[in-house]
Each structure stands twice: as C-alpha cells, then as structure tokens.
Amino acid sequence: MAQQRAIRLSLKKPTHAVCVVGTDTSVDVYGSVPPGAMTFKVAGSSTVETYLEYDPKNVSELPADEHWPLDAEVDVIISMRAVSQNVDDAKVQVTYYGRNGSQALGQALLYLTGIEVSLDVDMDRTGTIKKNKADKKTWNWGPEGHGAVLLVNCDKDSSVSEGIDYSNSHLYSMADLQDMSKMLLSTNGPDEVFEKHRLVLHMSVNDADKVAVFHAQGGSHISDFKRVLGPDKLSYTVHRAVGEKEITFYVEGLTFPDADFLGLISFDLTLMDTDEMLLETPIFTDSVVFRVAPWIMTPNTQTPLEVYVCSIDEKETSQAKFVDAVTNLALRANCQLTICPPVDNRNDRWIQDEMEFGYIEAPHKSFPVVFDSPRNRGLKDFPFKRLLGPDFGYVTREPAYGGASSLDSFGNLDVSPPVTVRGKEYPLGRILIGSSFPKSGGRRMAKVVRNFLYAQKVQAPVELYSDWLSVGHVDEFLSFVPAPGQKGFRLLLASPNACFKLFQEKKDEGYGTAIQFEGLKNEKKKITIDEMLNDKSLRSDNQYAQKCIDWNREVLKRELGLSERDIIDIPQLYKLSDSSAEAYFPDMVNMIVLGKILGIPKPFGPIINGRCCLEERVQDLLSPLGLKCIFIDDYLSYHVLMGEIHCGTNVRRKPFSFKWWNIIP
C-alpha cells in the first residue's frame, strides 16, 4: 500500500483533493477548528470509504451519535472506492459541535476526485502483467514468491549495431524489445486532473548504470521507442495523451548481478501536484522491483544441442583426424556442429578454456549467453565476434590488473547436475571452481570471475583443490555422466589406485609384459605393466595425486550430497613435473558427454587378448549405465600439449526446465 498523506481542511472555503483509488489518505480535522468546538462528525459520499482510528484508552466506547471528542486524538482516514466520472464528484463533510452537541459551530468541506494510477510488472512471473495487490516493493524467491524478472540485454539483434544491445541508447531492431521486460502505467479518471498534475517515473542513482527504460510512444516504428531512463537520466515526466489509460515501457538490464550489485532494481512512479506558485508536492507514489536474471550454467546431464571444435593448420594431420572424430560423434548424438576455423582461432585449439556456455531466462524469454574467460589467447575474439548475435548473448569479466592465470581458463569451471544436500535442494546444480589448497598460497581463479559466479546465487559454487595439477583444471580429474536412478548421474573421478589395481590384476593373470602405449607410432615411452608396477617414482607420484583427488572426493561428497555408490573410479595415472602433476597417458575423465554417447581420450593401454585393458575396464564400468564409450585418439593433437578431448571441445546444452526464480537460495 502506498504511503499515507494528510489533507488539511478549512472552515472558510472548500478543500479540493485528488485521491488514488484504493489508497488511504489522512484528513486533518484539527488544523481548523471553530472556537468552542468539543466534538466532530464525519460524513461522506457513497464512493468514499471513511473510518476512524483511535486509542481505546482515549475512547472507551463508540459514540452513539457518531460525535467524536476532539481531545481523543482520533485519526480520520478516507479511501476512494471508485474512479470519478467528473472532477469533485465525491465529498467528505466534517461538522464541529459545541458542548451539548446539538448545534453545529462550523463545517469543513472536502471535494474529492478519484483517479487510478498504477505501475505494474509481471509480478506473478507468468509472462503477462496483471494488476497485483501483493507488495510490489519486495521480491521473493520460491514457488510462492513474487516479483518481476529482468534480462540483461546482452545479445545483438541487429547487424547495424556495433556492440552489445545494452550499449545502445536507441533501438536498432524491433526484435530487441523481446529481450526487455514490460512495465505498464495505468491511469484512469477525468483528463483535467492529469493535465494539472505531473506523472514522474524515476529510479535511484545507485541503479543508474544497471538499467534502462524505453517508452513506447504509440507507434510501431523503431523511432517510436525512446530511451527515457538510463545512466544519463534518472527521472522522466510521462506525457499522457487525453483519454490514454495504459502507457507501456520496456525495461532492459545493463549488467549481471555481481559483488557490488545484488540484482534488485526499483522504479517509482510519483503523481506530483502543482500549486499556483509552481511548487510541486508528491501526493502518491507507486513502486515496483525487478530482479536481474542470473547467468546459469548447464551440466553434462542436460541435452546437448551444439558441439564446438577448432580446426588448425591443415598441415597438422592429427588435429584434422580429431576434428573428423568429433564430427562423427556429433552426428551420432544428433547435435549441430560448429568448427572454428584458423582465421578465428589463430592456432588456439583450447576452445573449452576460452568460454563457457550458459543461458538467461525470464518468464517471457530465454536465450543462450556465452561467458568469455579472461585467458585472452588466440580464441579471445571468437565468442564476441562469432557467437554474439540475435538471441545469443555475451558476458565477460576481466581482472583489473595482474592478468589471467591458467586457473582462469574455463576447463577449470564446471557445474554439477541437480543435487540435494542435507535436505537443501540445488535444482540447477552447483558450480565447481578449481582453486589452491585452503589456507595456502597458490593459483586461484581471478577474484572478479569468482565474484561473478557467486553473485548469480542460483548455483552456489564449491571450490575444489586443482592447483596440484600443472594446468590446474578440475576437468583433469572429474566429470559427470547421465545415469539411471534417483540422482540421474554419476560422478567420475580419476583414480591412480584403480589403475594400479587393474594393472596388478593383469600381472597376476600373466600379462605383466603387456605394453602401455603399444599402439602409438614414434612413441619412445613404451613400458610394460611390470615396469609400471615396479617404478617407485611413478608409484610415489600417484600416491600424491591420489591424496589430492581423495581430498576433493570428500569435498564433493559433502557439498553435493553424494555417497560412494554415486562415484565411479576411472583408472588413470599421473606424473610429476616440477612438483605438479600431468596425465601419464591420455586422461579418460577429460571426456565430452553428448547424452549417452561419450567421447573418451584413447588411453593406449596394454593390449590383452586383442583389447586395450584400460578401455575394456572403462566400458565395463559405464556400459551398464546405458552409456556408449567411443575412444578417440587425441594423443598428438591434445595430450602431448597437456590437454584432452574436453579441453579441445565445447558444448551448448538445453536449458533447465526448472525456473530459477522458484529456488530458495
């Protein structure tokens, strides 16, 4: 309900006032009282609701004749029930009486004109605007919550525009309006009232750089939509045409929630009264609040829509074969394929590290948004120049100083499927960020990137320990795959212990002389199972790696609500180089997940009975889940460069069906 204002009465002449229907107005019955008056009585027209507030200590019982004592501190409140057809067509009369109450000593008249003024948004989150009696000044989470949603207008709907749509002070395309949220100003009542009063739409200076508003001025051409609020303007006088009952505004977000911005934006609509001296006083204010939609990541369990991979210099045949393998994989998974050519990647093949796909959503609109990492290598222009477009948004965060570390690449950024942890639901999963060991020095993801991820709220991040790895990315030791059952997924963790256990089994079966890297051409590191089991340095390196993975295992179990049966150990070995770990053979958890089809780095394990024993073990672990394992040779194209298939591919996935505003953070 809008704030209450007071109307002063006069015994000398009638008072005239405008009241917004449904709002309470206080009438000052004490400012002009005739001498000798002891009581007063209030009477009003049928369209005026009148009630009196009093303290029972001062008024022990209601007066039978409705004569209220002036010394009882009784407050008179009025409210218009309906819009006036004409100016002054409603009336309130206050009559004052002396001691005996029989003779009136004076009378004050108040003429009222009832009007409608309402600022409304999609409070119910249905995609349409309805007039709502809920508290429009608040925004509540959850399925029973209320409050409107605002998209950051971060796509580019017109080829004429040079930048992201929110950077423009005017429209370049009518399609741009679909990325904005409507805000309606409803007015009704005698036109003379609105000619003598001013309607002002305004916002806080704190919101000035976070939102902009366009006024739809009656036409259907681009020029009929004017930006009236934004970084350069905090208030706007709304010009209402004669008889105009509904005025439409379009609101666009200019920035995502972040460390210094909670995501809430408010607008006020004030009705200003102008007197003969041109002094203005506010007589009514209506307010609405929006929450800017967060950027949302999608986990491996979401349906894949489009696969991205880089083609490099044609002379590099290993990369060409890799691209062919990924092409076939995308075809089998019925996914669209985008091959980033050399002119766009500038010999940078690490497309997972450059960007992360997500989306934003409001009740009326949703579109993908690519988050561009601050690594800024050969692919640095690809997300902005090639992905930004109609209904495809872009966002980035750059460190203010110091540049980016390896942990700022987005192979170090993942998200779990939906989980429930100790009774708390995370229906959009939880973001996973690789970091340094707690309370120690080391590499961490840039604060500006971490702040952005935390500020989105709906996928509460979990920080893991990845700095033990040379590259330092979480995708080097974990992945998620879809699986039947209540949770709908399994967590895959790289496991040196599982690998040594497998090799020991094969030794005990009499295959100790089987060779790792057997199928590789020009590979000088061929080594038998016996030699790997007896290599003390390799054992020591992997004891360390296993301890680091086990530490993360416990964090993941605790923060994702997992049990051991939700985790599958994938055989993997590491080697230490300058005290940091690298994959000894192609890292099989660093895979691409396309529904039930998995593209897994070919490990070139010992061949036993015509089959790679590492591939066979992984198939035995994953095939019962209905997953198809396809092993792809990425040895020369990625592995020797300290990466694998996940690092060299990227996937845009279908958004969640769950609506983020129904979360209770």
Side-chain angles (χ1 to χ4, degrees), residues 165-194:
D165 283 343
Y166 62 60
S167 65
N168 302 317
S169 60
H170 60 274
L171 291 184
Y172 282 94
S173 167
M174 293 296 288
D176 203 19
L177 295 174
Q178 301 304 312
D179 302 334
M180 305 183 194
S181 294
K182 277 188 178 182
M183 182 166 62
L184 296 183
L185 168 57
S186 299
T187 62
N188 196 7
D191 288 324
E192 304 97 290
V193 172
F194 292 101

Side-chain angles (χ1 to χ4, degrees), residues 370-551:
V370 61
F371 185 13
D372 190 2
S373 81
R375 68 188 284 270
N376 292 341
R377 291 168 61 179
L379 277 160
K380 71 183 183 72
D381 294 329
F382 177 72
F384 187 85
K385 289 186 176 181
R386 299 303 182 191
L387 297 182
L388 173 65
D391 288 343
F392 207 124
Y394 173 92
V395 64
T396 190
R397 288 294 182 271
E398 296 280 347
Y401 55 89
S405 76
S406 176
L407 271 67
D408 293 315
S409 296
F410 285 167
N412 194 37
L413 176 62
D414 209 329
V415 63
S416 80
V419 292
T420 299
V421 185
R422 297 180 294 277
K424 180 173 177 56
E425 294 183 353
Y426 297 89
L428 302 177
R430 299 191 71 178
I431 287 173
L432 305 177
I433 303 168
S435 191
S436 57
F437 196 78
K439 299 182 180 179
S440 70
R443 296 171 296 173
R444 297 190 73 190
M445 183 175 283
K447 186 177 181 181
V448 67
V449 178
R450 284 187 290 115
N451 285 348
F452 173 84
L453 296 171
Y454 276 92
Q456 307 313 303
K457 280 188 172 292
V458 296
Q459 295 177 302
V462 176
E463 295 201 36
L464 300 173
Y465 175 38
S466 65
D467 195 31
W468 60 280
L469 292 151
S470 293
V471 176
H473 295 177
V474 293
D475 67 356
E476 297 178 75
F477 64 87
L478 67 80
S479 185
F480 296 93
V481 294
Q486 185 176 2
K487 279 194 169 65
F489 71 92
R490 295 289 190 276
L491 167 64
L492 307 186
L493 285 179
S495 175
N497 284 352
C499 191
F500 279 123
K501 181 180 179 181
L502 172 63
F503 286 166
Q504 185 64 50
E505 289 174 4
K506 297 306 175 184
K507 174 183 171 64
D508 295 342
E509 293 170 5
Y511 300 109
T513 58
I515 298 174
Q516 177 71 34
F517 305 119
E518 171 98 28
L520 278 173
K521 297 179 181 179
N522 303 321
E523 178 50 56
K524 299 178 181 180
K525 297 185 295 183
K526 293 178 181 178
I527 184 171
T528 67
I529 288 177
D530 286 339
E531 289 170 333
M532 287 189 287
L533 290 172
N534 293 326
D535 189 329
K536 293 182 179 179
S537 177
L538 187 63
R539 284 275 192 178
S540 176
D541 288 355
N542 281 280
Q543 286 174 357
Y544 168 71
Q546 188 67 60
K547 288 180 180 178
C548 295
I549 294 170
D550 286 345
W551 191 90

